[in-house]
Amino acid sequence: MKLASLKQGRDGRLVVVSDDLAWYADAGHIVPTLQAALDNWAYAAPRLAALAEDLNHDAIPKERFHEREAASPLPCRDDSSVLSSSVMFVLARRHQVLSRF
């Protein structure tokens, strides 16, 4: 499952991106932002995973994903507090490993 924030407002708009990074589906009906997903991960994760599965099997409407339209992964409290994508990867990977136990 690949998540991205598209530029919209302060916190962006959460979308699920296809495995080939070519398409996306809006995730706003599940949670509006990445921060909201992280705040309620137990609720959001299985629903976002199902959306990703549907997207990758062409079972739902999709739109072309353009990396240039993506926003920072999490909202900024100030200019110095943006988490890098590598930190986000480590956190996501840690969650995957821990959820297996």
Side-chain angles (χ1 to χ4, degrees):
M1 171 174 59
K2 293 174 176 45
L3 303 175
S5 292
L6 297 183
K7 296 174 186 173
Q8 181 180 8
R10 185 186 81 111
D11 295 342
R13 176 171 59 111
L14 184 65
V15 297
V16 174
V17 181
S18 62
D19 288 339
D20 64 2
L21 302 176
W23 304 98
Y24 76 87
D26 188 79
H29 62 286
I30 299 170
V31 287
T33 64
L34 180 56
Q35 185 62 57
L38 293 173
D39 289 344
N40 197 359
W41 191 249
Y43 168 83
R47 290 164 178 82
L48 292 170
L51 184 63
E53 192 73 23
D54 288 345
L55 174 62
N56 286 314
H57 289 102
D58 296 323
I60 57 173
K62 60 188 178 182
E63 295 185 48
R64 193 76 166 138
F65 180 69
H66 299 285
E67 193 175 289
R68 66 182 174 274
E69 296 173 2
S72 63
L74 290 174
C76 300
R77 303 257 187 255
D78 59 44
D79 290 338
S80 64
S81 64
V82 177
L83 287 177
S84 72
S85 59
S86 60
V87 172
M88 289 301 298
F89 174 78
V90 170
L91 292 174
R93 183 70 181 134
R94 180 177 175 205
H95 175 76
Q96 287 176 347
V97 170
L98 293 177
S99 66
R100 291 182 185 160
F101 295 102

